[in-house]
């Protein structure tokens, strides 16, 4: 009898431990109920202790219902998969007093209809970022973690810029109703205590008494009805034309089909001239219209030859090469940067003209 009682107690303790285990809890990144390192339970709990009513939502219908009763609320939006469409995003902007979007992609930014757009990522060598602006919240928060952050530009207010030429990890509209945070680490349980992350997160999310913590799901994907089939999209004459084209293609194959002859044995190794390899690769680029790849190869080759000519060493960066060339040909470094690094040919004719320009520059630098 005693063994049965002990067994029942152990089984009860095991069931209770499993029920309270974090493995059975919320695992969504930046969820207000997720205690894991990538969750944001700590941020939500601190906001609640400071008097902010945090309402969690995982559907657009629930969010709009809450905003109908609390029009002055702030909406925290983390749509990492881009589920929401333009109509839904515009509805959130109109219904909420403020919308804070974390690490939005192109689809989300386009749907919001603002001028804010992506500007790259924070360099791996940058661990912290200074505010670099006069906006009240970033100025009070000070330095924050830049690890894994995204940069945005085009906003009236841009803060936390790695350099003057980059976008910022904090972007806001002029009226402050739309704020874009480019890093999930600012609110995560793992890095909330680092630098001024907590201060920036709390000041950005806590200006109003009510906060709707919204993480969209698959159920929020807008439905446009049943998509049309191929038969509905195609005109009536496609059926006859398709059959006729199939017959013509079969006749062409029988007429022009390649007939293989006997195998020819050739001793190895086969020596291929370098010029033939270069021409073959050039033809592949031309056939695939890979203008960008061809331009990158020309740019890399020019920089390599210039670095070798000026004896800068194999580890010399593009900026060092540009400085050496600028001093040699007596031209502004910014002009050379625009020509050699930043110019992106879009057509084959532009590629030819650009290749001639950088070849002339290389000849000038080497000749003098």
């Amino acid at each position: 009898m005693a063994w049965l009682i002990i067994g029942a107690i152990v089984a009860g303790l095991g069931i209770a431990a499993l029920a309270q285990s974090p493995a059975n809890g919320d695992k969504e990144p930046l969820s207000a109920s997720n205690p894991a390192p990538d969750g944001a339970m700590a941020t939500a709990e601190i906001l609640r202790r400071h008097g902010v009513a945090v309402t969690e939502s995982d559907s657009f219908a629930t969010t709009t219902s809450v905003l109908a009763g609390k029009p002055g609320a702030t909406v925290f939006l983390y749509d990492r998969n881009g589920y929401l469409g333009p109509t839904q995003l515009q509805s959130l902007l109109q219904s909420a007093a403020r919308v804070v979007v974390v690490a939005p992609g192109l689809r989300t930014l386009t749907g919001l209809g603002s001028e804010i757009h992506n500007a790259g990522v924070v360099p791996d060598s940058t661990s912290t970022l200074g505010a670099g602006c006069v906006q009240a919240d970033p100025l009070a928060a000070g330095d924050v973690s830049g690890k894994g952050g995204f940069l945005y530009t085009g906003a009236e207010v841009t803060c936390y810029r790695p350099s003057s030429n980059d976008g910022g990890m904090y972007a806001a509209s002029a009226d402050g109703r739309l704020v874009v945070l480019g890093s999930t680490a600012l609110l995560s349980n793992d890095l909330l205590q680092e630098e001024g992350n907590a201060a920036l997160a709390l000041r950005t999310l806590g200006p109003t008494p009510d906060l709707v913590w919204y993480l969209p799901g698959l159920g929020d994907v807008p439905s446009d009805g049943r998509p049309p089939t191929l038969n509905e999209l195609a005109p009536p004459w496609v059926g006859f034309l398709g059959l006729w084209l199939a017959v013509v293609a079969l006749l062409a194959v029988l007429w022009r089909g390649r007939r293989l002859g006997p195998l020819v044995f050739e001793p190895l190794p086969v020596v291929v001239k370098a010029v033939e390899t270069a021409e073959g690769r050039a033809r592949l680029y031309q056939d695939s219209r890979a203008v960008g790849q061809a331009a990158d190869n020309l740019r890399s080759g020019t920089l390599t030859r210039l670095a070798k000519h000026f004896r800068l060493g194999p580890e010399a960066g593009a900026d060092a090469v540009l400085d050496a060339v600028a001093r040699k040909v007596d031209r502004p470094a910014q002009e050379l940067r625009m020509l050699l690094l930043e110019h992106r040919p879009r057509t084959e004719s532009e590629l030819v003209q650009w290749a001639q320009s950088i070849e002339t520059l290389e000849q000038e630098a080497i000749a003098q």
Side-chain angles (χ1 to χ4, degrees), residues 61-104:
T62 302
T63 302
T64 53
S65 176
V66 174
L67 290 177
K70 301 176 180 179
T74 297
V75 173
F76 166 84
L77 176 63
Y78 179 47
D79 189 7
R80 58 173 177 159
N81 295 312
Y83 290 139
L84 299 183
T87 303
Q88 297 165 308
L89 293 168
Q90 290 297 322
S91 176
L92 291 178
L93 284 176
Q94 295 173 4
S95 303
R98 195 183 199 198
V99 178
V100 179
V101 190
V102 177

Short mmCIF file of all heavy atoms in Angstrom, two decimals, residues 61-104:
data_model
loop_
_atom_site.label_atom_id
_atom_site.label_comp_id
_atom_site.label_asym_id
_atom_site.label_seq_id
_atom_site.Cartn_x
_atom_site.Cartn_y
_atom_site.Cartn_z
N ALA A 61 -8.32 40.28 -35.97
CA ALA A 61 -9.66 40.56 -35.46
C ALA A 61 -9.62 40.96 -33.99
O ALA A 61 -10.30 41.91 -33.57
CB ALA A 61 -10.55 39.33 -35.65
N THR A 62 -8.83 40.25 -33.18
CA THR A 62 -8.72 40.59 -31.76
C THR A 62 -8.10 41.97 -31.59
O THR A 62 -8.53 42.77 -30.75
CB THR A 62 -7.88 39.53 -31.04
OG1 THR A 62 -8.47 38.25 -31.21
CG2 THR A 62 -7.77 39.85 -29.56
N THR A 63 -7.08 42.27 -32.37
CA THR A 63 -6.41 43.56 -32.26
C THR A 63 -7.35 44.71 -32.59
O THR A 63 -7.40 45.71 -31.87
CB THR A 63 -5.19 43.59 -33.20
OG1 THR A 63 -4.31 42.52 -32.87
CG2 THR A 63 -4.44 44.91 -33.06
N THR A 64 -8.09 44.60 -33.69
CA THR A 64 -9.02 45.66 -34.05
C THR A 64 -10.15 45.80 -33.03
O THR A 64 -10.63 46.90 -32.76
CB THR A 64 -9.60 45.39 -35.44
OG1 THR A 64 -10.17 44.07 -35.48
CG2 THR A 64 -8.53 45.50 -36.51
N SER A 65 -10.55 44.68 -32.45
CA SER A 65 -11.60 44.73 -31.42
C SER A 65 -11.10 45.48 -30.18
O SER A 65 -11.83 46.30 -29.60
CB SER A 65 -12.03 43.32 -31.05
OG SER A 65 -12.96 43.33 -29.99
N VAL A 66 -9.85 45.22 -29.77
CA VAL A 66 -9.29 45.93 -28.62
C VAL A 66 -9.13 47.41 -28.92
O VAL A 66 -9.43 48.27 -28.10
CB VAL A 66 -7.94 45.29 -28.22
CG1 VAL A 66 -7.27 46.11 -27.12
CG2 VAL A 66 -8.14 43.86 -27.76
N LEU A 67 -8.66 47.73 -30.13
CA LEU A 67 -8.45 49.14 -30.49
C LEU A 67 -9.76 49.90 -30.59
O LEU A 67 -9.79 51.12 -30.39
CB LEU A 67 -7.69 49.23 -31.82
CG LEU A 67 -6.23 48.79 -31.79
CD1 LEU A 67 -5.62 48.85 -33.19
CD2 LEU A 67 -5.43 49.66 -30.83
N ALA A 68 -10.85 49.20 -30.92
CA ALA A 68 -12.16 49.86 -30.99
C ALA A 68 -12.57 50.42 -29.62
O ALA A 68 -13.20 51.48 -29.53
CB ALA A 68 -13.21 48.90 -31.50
N GLY A 69 -12.17 49.69 -28.56
CA GLY A 69 -12.49 50.18 -27.22
C GLY A 69 -11.39 51.03 -26.61
O GLY A 69 -11.60 51.70 -25.61
N LYS A 70 -10.20 50.99 -27.20
CA LYS A 70 -9.06 51.77 -26.69
C LYS A 70 -8.37 52.48 -27.86
O LYS A 70 -7.28 52.11 -28.28
CB LYS A 70 -8.07 50.86 -25.97
CG LYS A 70 -8.68 50.10 -24.79
CD LYS A 70 -7.66 49.14 -24.17
CE LYS A 70 -8.27 48.38 -23.00
NZ LYS A 70 -7.31 47.42 -22.39
N PRO A 71 -9.00 53.51 -28.41
CA PRO A 71 -8.42 54.16 -29.59
C PRO A 71 -7.10 54.88 -29.30
O PRO A 71 -6.36 55.19 -30.23
CB PRO A 71 -9.51 55.16 -30.01
CG PRO A 71 -10.30 55.39 -28.77
CD PRO A 71 -10.28 54.11 -28.00
N GLY A 72 -6.80 55.14 -28.04
CA GLY A 72 -5.55 55.82 -27.71
C GLY A 72 -4.42 54.89 -27.37
O GLY A 72 -3.41 55.32 -26.79
N ALA A 73 -4.55 53.61 -27.74
CA ALA A 73 -3.54 52.61 -27.37
C ALA A 73 -2.38 52.61 -28.35
O ALA A 73 -2.48 53.08 -29.49
CB ALA A 73 -4.17 51.21 -27.31
N THR A 74 -1.26 52.06 -27.88
CA THR A 74 -0.10 51.83 -28.72
C THR A 74 -0.11 50.38 -29.18
O THR A 74 -0.46 49.48 -28.40
CB THR A 74 1.20 52.10 -27.95
OG1 THR A 74 1.24 53.48 -27.56
CG2 THR A 74 2.43 51.77 -28.79
N VAL A 75 0.26 50.14 -30.43
CA VAL A 75 0.30 48.78 -30.98
C VAL A 75 1.75 48.39 -31.20
O VAL A 75 2.50 49.09 -31.89
CB VAL A 75 -0.48 48.68 -32.30
CG1 VAL A 75 -0.28 47.29 -32.93
CG2 VAL A 75 -1.95 48.91 -32.06
N PHE A 76 2.15 47.29 -30.57
CA PHE A 76 3.46 46.68 -30.83
C PHE A 76 3.25 45.62 -31.89
O PHE A 76 2.47 44.68 -31.70
CB PHE A 76 4.02 46.07 -29.55
CG PHE A 76 5.18 45.14 -29.78
CD1 PHE A 76 6.47 45.64 -29.91
CD2 PHE A 76 5.00 43.77 -29.89
CE1 PHE A 76 7.54 44.79 -30.12
CE2 PHE A 76 6.06 42.92 -30.10
CZ PHE A 76 7.34 43.43 -30.23
N LEU A 77 3.94 45.73 -33.03
CA LEU A 77 3.74 44.81 -34.16
C LEU A 77 5.06 44.15 -34.54
O LEU A 77 6.04 44.84 -34.86
CB LEU A 77 3.17 45.57 -35.36
CG LEU A 77 3.01 44.76 -36.66
CD1 LEU A 77 2.01 43.63 -36.47
CD2 LEU A 77 2.56 45.66 -37.80
N TYR A 78 5.09 42.83 -34.49
CA TYR A 78 6.24 42.06 -34.96
C TYR A 78 5.73 41.02 -35.95
O TYR A 78 5.30 39.94 -35.58
CB TYR A 78 6.95 41.40 -33.79
CG TYR A 78 8.16 40.57 -34.20
CD1 TYR A 78 9.10 41.08 -35.09
CD2 TYR A 78 8.34 39.28 -33.71
CE1 TYR A 78 10.20 40.33 -35.48
CE2 TYR A 78 9.45 38.52 -34.09
CZ TYR A 78 10.37 39.05 -34.97
OH TYR A 78 11.46 38.30 -35.36
N ASP A 79 5.73 41.38 -37.22
CA ASP A 79 5.23 40.52 -38.29
C ASP A 79 6.42 40.00 -39.08
O ASP A 79 6.71 40.45 -40.19
CB ASP A 79 4.28 41.32 -39.20
CG ASP A 79 3.55 40.44 -40.20
OD1 ASP A 79 3.68 39.20 -40.09
OD2 ASP A 79 2.86 40.98 -41.08
N ARG A 80 7.14 39.05 -38.49
CA ARG A 80 8.41 38.59 -39.08
C ARG A 80 8.22 37.87 -40.41
O ARG A 80 9.14 37.82 -41.22
CB ARG A 80 9.14 37.67 -38.10
CG ARG A 80 8.36 36.45 -37.68
CD ARG A 80 9.21 35.51 -36.85
NE ARG A 80 8.47 34.36 -36.37
CZ ARG A 80 9.00 33.23 -35.98
NH1 ARG A 80 10.31 33.08 -36.03
NH2 ARG A 80 8.26 32.23 -35.54
N ASN A 81 7.03 37.31 -40.67
CA ASN A 81 6.78 36.60 -41.92
C ASN A 81 5.99 37.43 -42.93
O ASN A 81 5.68 36.94 -44.01
CB ASN A 81 6.03 35.29 -41.66
CG ASN A 81 6.86 34.31 -40.84
OD1 ASN A 81 8.03 34.08 -41.15
ND2 ASN A 81 6.27 33.72 -39.81
N GLY A 82 5.67 38.66 -42.59
CA GLY A 82 4.94 39.52 -43.52
C GLY A 82 3.54 39.03 -43.84
O GLY A 82 3.11 39.06 -44.99
N TYR A 83 2.79 38.59 -42.80
CA TYR A 83 1.44 38.07 -43.03
C TYR A 83 0.44 39.16 -43.40
O TYR A 83 -0.46 38.95 -44.20
CB TYR A 83 0.95 37.35 -41.77
CG TYR A 83 1.65 36.05 -41.48
CD1 TYR A 83 2.00 35.70 -40.18
CD2 TYR A 83 1.95 35.15 -42.50
CE1 TYR A 83 2.65 34.50 -39.91
CE2 TYR A 83 2.59 33.96 -42.24
CZ TYR A 83 2.93 33.63 -40.94
OH TYR A 83 3.57 32.45 -40.69
N LEU A 84 0.55 40.34 -42.81
CA LEU A 84 -0.47 41.37 -42.97
C LEU A 84 -0.36 42.05 -44.33
O LEU A 84 0.73 42.27 -44.85
CB LEU A 84 -0.35 42.43 -41.86
CG LEU A 84 -0.52 41.92 -40.43
CD1 LEU A 84 -0.44 43.09 -39.46
CD2 LEU A 84 -1.84 41.18 -40.27
N GLY A 85 -1.52 42.39 -44.90
CA GLY A 85 -1.57 43.09 -46.17
C GLY A 85 -1.68 44.60 -45.97
O GLY A 85 -1.84 45.10 -44.84
N PRO A 86 -1.63 45.38 -47.06
CA PRO A 86 -1.68 46.84 -46.95
C PRO A 86 -2.94 47.35 -46.27
O PRO A 86 -2.88 48.28 -45.47
CB PRO A 86 -1.60 47.30 -48.41
CG PRO A 86 -0.95 46.16 -49.14
CD PRO A 86 -1.40 44.92 -48.44
N THR A 87 -4.09 46.75 -46.57
CA THR A 87 -5.35 47.22 -45.96
C THR A 87 -5.32 47.04 -44.45
O THR A 87 -5.75 47.92 -43.68
CB THR A 87 -6.53 46.45 -46.57
OG1 THR A 87 -6.54 46.62 -47.99
CG2 THR A 87 -7.84 46.97 -45.99
N GLN A 88 -4.82 45.90 -43.99
CA GLN A 88 -4.75 45.64 -42.55
C GLN A 88 -3.77 46.60 -41.86
O GLN A 88 -4.05 47.13 -40.78
CB GLN A 88 -4.34 44.20 -42.30
CG GLN A 88 -5.34 43.17 -42.82
CD GLN A 88 -4.76 41.78 -42.89
OE1 GLN A 88 -3.68 41.58 -43.46
NE2 GLN A 88 -5.45 40.80 -42.32
N LEU A 89 -2.63 46.83 -42.47
CA LEU A 89 -1.63 47.73 -41.87
C LEU A 89 -2.15 49.16 -41.80
O LEU A 89 -1.95 49.85 -40.80
CB LEU A 89 -0.33 47.66 -42.68
CG LEU A 89 0.41 46.32 -42.62
CD1 LEU A 89 1.52 46.27 -43.67
CD2 LEU A 89 1.01 46.10 -41.23
N GLN A 90 -2.81 49.61 -42.86
CA GLN A 90 -3.37 50.95 -42.84
C GLN A 90 -4.46 51.08 -41.77
O GLN A 90 -4.61 52.12 -41.14
CB GLN A 90 -3.93 51.31 -44.22
CG GLN A 90 -2.88 51.51 -45.29
CD GLN A 90 -1.97 52.68 -44.98
OE1 GLN A 90 -2.41 53.71 -44.46
NE2 GLN A 90 -0.68 52.52 -45.27
N SER A 91 -5.23 50.00 -41.58
CA SER A 91 -6.26 50.01 -40.53
C SER A 91 -5.63 50.16 -39.14
O SER A 91 -6.15 50.90 -38.29
CB SER A 91 -7.07 48.72 -40.60
OG SER A 91 -8.01 48.66 -39.55
N LEU A 92 -4.49 49.50 -38.90
CA LEU A 92 -3.81 49.64 -37.61
C LEU A 92 -3.32 51.07 -37.41
O LEU A 92 -3.44 51.64 -36.32
CB LEU A 92 -2.64 48.67 -37.53
CG LEU A 92 -2.97 47.17 -37.45
CD1 LEU A 92 -1.69 46.35 -37.42
CD2 LEU A 92 -3.82 46.87 -36.23
N LEU A 93 -2.76 51.67 -38.47
CA LEU A 93 -2.27 53.05 -38.35
C LEU A 93 -3.40 54.02 -38.04
O LEU A 93 -3.21 54.98 -37.29
CB LEU A 93 -1.57 53.46 -39.65
CG LEU A 93 -0.16 52.91 -39.88
CD1 LEU A 93 0.34 53.32 -41.26
CD2 LEU A 93 0.80 53.40 -38.81
N GLN A 94 -4.56 53.77 -38.61
CA GLN A 94 -5.68 54.69 -38.40
C GLN A 94 -6.35 54.47 -37.04
O GLN A 94 -6.88 55.42 -36.45
CB GLN A 94 -6.71 54.51 -39.52
CG GLN A 94 -6.17 54.91 -40.89
CD GLN A 94 -7.15 54.57 -42.00
OE1 GLN A 94 -8.27 54.10 -41.75
NE2 GLN A 94 -6.73 54.79 -43.25
N SER A 95 -6.32 53.23 -36.54
CA SER A 95 -7.05 52.92 -35.30
C SER A 95 -6.23 53.18 -34.05
O SER A 95 -6.80 53.48 -32.99
CB SER A 95 -7.48 51.45 -35.32
OG SER A 95 -8.28 51.16 -36.45
N ALA A 96 -4.92 53.06 -34.13
CA ALA A 96 -4.07 53.20 -32.94
C ALA A 96 -3.49 54.60 -32.85
O ALA A 96 -3.35 55.32 -33.85
CB ALA A 96 -2.93 52.18 -32.99
N ALA A 97 -3.14 54.98 -31.62
CA ALA A 97 -2.49 56.28 -31.42
C ALA A 97 -1.04 56.21 -31.86
O ALA A 97 -0.47 57.22 -32.30
CB ALA A 97 -2.58 56.68 -29.95
N ARG A 98 -0.45 55.02 -31.78
CA ARG A 98 0.94 54.85 -32.14
C ARG A 98 1.19 53.40 -32.52
O ARG A 98 0.63 52.50 -31.90
CB ARG A 98 1.84 55.25 -30.97
CG ARG A 98 3.30 55.46 -31.33
CD ARG A 98 4.11 55.78 -30.09
NE ARG A 98 5.38 56.42 -30.41
CZ ARG A 98 6.41 56.49 -29.58
NH1 ARG A 98 6.32 55.96 -28.38
NH2 ARG A 98 7.52 57.11 -29.94
N VAL A 99 2.00 53.17 -33.55
CA VAL A 99 2.34 51.82 -33.99
C VAL A 99 3.86 51.69 -33.96
O VAL A 99 4.57 52.47 -34.60
CB VAL A 99 1.81 51.52 -35.40
CG1 VAL A 99 2.24 50.12 -35.84
CG2 VAL A 99 0.29 51.64 -35.43
N VAL A 100 4.35 50.72 -33.21
CA VAL A 100 5.78 50.43 -33.11
C VAL A 100 6.02 49.11 -33.83
O VAL A 100 5.55 48.06 -33.40
CB VAL A 100 6.25 50.35 -31.66
CG1 VAL A 100 7.74 50.04 -31.60
CG2 VAL A 100 5.95 51.66 -30.93
N VAL A 101 6.75 49.15 -34.93
CA VAL A 101 7.01 47.96 -35.76
C VAL A 101 8.46 47.55 -35.55
O VAL A 101 9.37 48.38 -35.62
CB VAL A 101 6.75 48.26 -37.25
CG1 VAL A 101 6.78 46.96 -38.05
CG2 VAL A 101 5.42 48.96 -37.43
N VAL A 102 8.68 46.26 -35.28
CA VAL A 102 10.02 45.74 -35.02
C VAL A 102 10.50 44.94 -36.22
O VAL A 102 9.82 44.02 -36.68
CB VAL A 102 10.03 44.87 -33.75
CG1 VAL A 102 11.42 44.28 -33.52
CG2 VAL A 102 9.60 45.69 -32.55
N ALA A 103 11.67 45.30 -36.74
CA ALA A 103 12.36 44.58 -37.83
C ALA A 103 11.42 44.26 -38.99
O ALA A 103 11.30 43.10 -39.40
CB ALA A 103 13.01 43.31 -37.31
N PRO A 104 10.73 45.26 -39.55
CA PRO A 104 9.81 44.97 -40.65
C PRO A 104 10.55 44.69 -41.96
O PRO A 104 11.64 45.22 -42.21
CB PRO A 104 8.99 46.26 -40.76
CG PRO A 104 9.92 47.33 -40.30
CD PRO A 104 10.76 46.70 -39.22
#
